[in-house]
Amino acid sequence: MAAPELADYKPIFFSDDEWQFILAATDRLIPAGGKGKALGALETNVPIFIDQQLHSEEFGSEIYMQGPFNTEAPATMGYQIPFRPQQIYQTSIRLINQWSQTTHQKAFHALTLEEKDAVLTWVNKNGIDFAALGEPNLKASQFFSQLLSDTKHGNPRGQILEGDDPFEGPRSEPYPLPALDDTLDNVMFKEAAKKLGYHPFPNPSACVSRAWKNPYGNQIAPCNYCGYCSKYPCLNYSKASPQTAVMDSLKRMPNFSYEVNAEVIKVVLNDDKKTAKEVNPDSMSMSFLLMGADFDLTKYVSTHNVGGAVMGDNPKTSALNKYLQSWDVHNVFVLGGNAFPQNFQANPTDTIGAITLMAAQAIKDQYLKNPGPLVQA
């Protein structure tokens, strides 16, 4: 289906006045032209993206709305606005237009380009006092952050903006969520780096910044900045760990089963002694750390402990080939951090995902069509 043309598009969420504001504001946030004659927000249908996103009933539905809320709280305290994104847009647009009518005797969209830029800068700096206009629970800068984030999401092929990675290549799709809010140490680092002439930017995070239903259909909650990511599972269901992001979908599949706290120490073979028949409870070792016992991390390079059934190019020195297939039993594939021959200095999740994807593709495209060793010893 062809994308709708902006000139012919009828908004499904915004009113006519709100739509005029969105068209004008996004055009100033990402104008067309500049170096390389980049496409702007209007040329890439950013307003349509925002309108359709806000129209979705699920968008923002998982945000905790019970309060109490503290609009003066730092970002590390998590979401502190008693509004869903839809309400943030509608309330803010109404207040900014109200301020613009009082100050300039015209709505925002009717201002000159210079006036629009000045107003948006003023909004970003909380120069427009929403509390004085009747809304004490929302700041102008909070709306600006939301609008800028959504505008950048809708313009993945446009120019690199302030705060983005200046070295990244063009991508066809935006990141699914905006960056997490900066904590104090990030703010201090960013300011110091800028003074030295560098261009700091946020790395993609494995913690989600907003409530989100991922492509597997799993609902993930927004990070509340508790600070216990390292060494702990996420009780808030915000980390992109397999337990949060994938497992719930896998459990609903009829051809999938799993055991927890289990270590496979024996595979039951078929009569041919070349293929696995099953892995049953009798061939597993279950172990638990007793309550109150200490877990000694000092012997490890990092806490991302890996290894156990490593991959390699020689069955004499490795348990698995490059497709994570057992050298000895060809219908056994061991996917995960077990495949690494040594410990990582930092997070191994991306690499685990990459080698698992490669193994899954090999199973689908090669093994299922012709079962047997995918690599000859």
Side-chain angles (χ1 to χ4, degrees):
M1 183 176 67
E5 293 292 336
L6 185 60
D8 301 325
Y9 181 77
K10 302 297 182 184
I12 55 179
F13 172 78
F14 290 114
S15 68
D16 290 342
D17 288 342
E18 292 166 347
W19 184 241
Q20 292 301 317
F21 178 97
I22 292 297
L23 292 173
T26 56
D27 182 46
R28 297 315 302 153
L29 291 175
I30 307 182
K35 293 182 179 180
K37 302 298 181 183
L39 299 176
L42 301 186
E43 288 76 16
T44 51
N45 286 344
V46 167
I48 297 176
F49 167 82
I50 296 175
D51 182 63
Q52 294 184 348
Q53 178 177 247
L54 294 175
H55 180 67
S56 169
E57 293 182 358
E58 293 185 354
F59 186 68
S61 62
E62 296 301 317
I63 295 177
Y64 182 77
M65 301 298 294
Q66 300 303 312
F69 299 99
N70 180 5
T71 58
E72 302 299 327
T76 51
M77 296 298 292
Y79 196 83
Q80 293 287 335
I81 307 173
F83 300 123
R84 290 176 58 183
Q86 292 88 336
Q87 296 167 299
I88 292 176
Y89 269 91
Q90 292 175 326
T91 301
S92 300
I93 292 173
R94 174 176 56 81
L95 295 177
I96 294 171
N97 272 334
Q98 177 183 330
W99 181 91
S100 182
Q101 286 283 3
T102 302
T103 306
H104 297 285
Q105 290 73 55
K106 60 183 77 171
F108 174 82
H109 73 270
L111 300 176
T112 65
L113 298 183
E114 292 76 13
E115 289 171 336
K116 290 175 185 174
D117 290 346
V119 170
L120 289 174
T121 300
W122 205 232
V123 170
N124 185 34
K125 295 181 177 180
N126 283 320
I128 299 179
D129 187 357
F130 280 7
L133 296 173
E135 183 46 73
N137 295 314
L138 182 64
K139 291 184 177 181
S141 60
Q142 292 169 327
F143 167 65
F144 183 87
S145 296
Q146 176 92 40
L147 175 63
L148 179 61
S149 174
D150 291 341
T151 300
K152 291 165 69 174
H153 275 194
N155 187 39
R157 299 176 184 85
Q159 65 197 62
I160 293 177
L161 301 177
E162 175 69 22
D164 280 2
D165 181 356
F167 306 108
E168 72 175 356
R171 61 182 187 270
S172 60
E173 297 293 336
Y175 293 115
L177 295 172
L180 292 165
D181 290 329
D182 284 330
T183 53
L184 178 59
D185 55 339
N186 286 345
V187 172
M188 295 172 65
F189 177 87
K190 181 187 297 184
E191 292 176 351
K194 285 183 177 180
K195 290 179 180 178
L196 294 173
Y198 294 107
H199 303 277
F201 58 90
N203 279 327
S205 173
C207 296
V208 301
S209 59
R210 294 181 184 169
W212 183 51
K213 181 175 287 186
N214 71 11
Y216 302 107
N218 294 329
Q219 186 66 53
I220 304 179
C223 175
N224 66 357
Y225 303 89
C226 71
Y228 286 94
C229 295
S230 182
K231 308 182 187 71
Y232 298 94
C234 180
L235 298 180
N236 199 48
Y237 281 79
S238 303
K239 285 174 63 175
S241 57
Q243 298 94 319
T244 299
V246 181
M247 186 60 72
D248 196 50
S249 294
L250 288 175
K251 289 190 294 186
R252 293 194 290 268
M253 299 179 67
N255 60 345
F256 176 82
S257 62
Y258 70 103
E259 296 284 346
V260 298
N261 298 306
E263 178 185 12
V264 177
I265 57 176
K266 180 181 178 182
V267 175
V268 181
L269 299 179
N270 286 310
D271 293 337
D272 62 8
K273 303 301 181 182
K274 296 181 180 180
T275 57
K277 178 181 180 181
E278 62 181 346
V279 176
N280 58 44
D282 293 335
S283 62
M284 293 184 184
S285 172
M286 310 287 281
S287 62
F288 301 89
L289 194 65
L290 297 177
M291 293 295 292
D294 292 328
F295 178 48
D296 183 11
L297 296 175
T298 58
K299 63 175 68 71
Y300 301 108
V301 175
S302 78
T303 58
H304 301 99
N305 304 317
V306 295
V310 303
M311 61 181 175
D313 58 6
N314 189 329
K316 294 181 179 180
T317 57
S318 58
L320 313 173
N321 61 31
K322 66 179 181 179
Y323 297 111
L324 310 187
Q325 180 187 39
S326 168
W327 288 109
D328 300 320
V329 186
H330 66 71
N331 66 338
V332 170
F333 291 78
V334 188
L335 315 180
N338 55 273
F340 299 128
Q342 63 188 42
N343 228 350
F344 272 57
Q345 184 274 330
N347 311 59
T349 305
D350 284 349
T351 309
I352 292 175
I355 62 175
T356 299
L357 177 60
M358 186 175 76
Q361 288 178 328
I363 293 171
K364 176 178 178 291
D365 298 336
Q366 300 178 52
Y367 185 81
L368 293 180
K369 296 176 181 178
N370 185 25
L374 296 177
V375 177
Q376 296 301 320

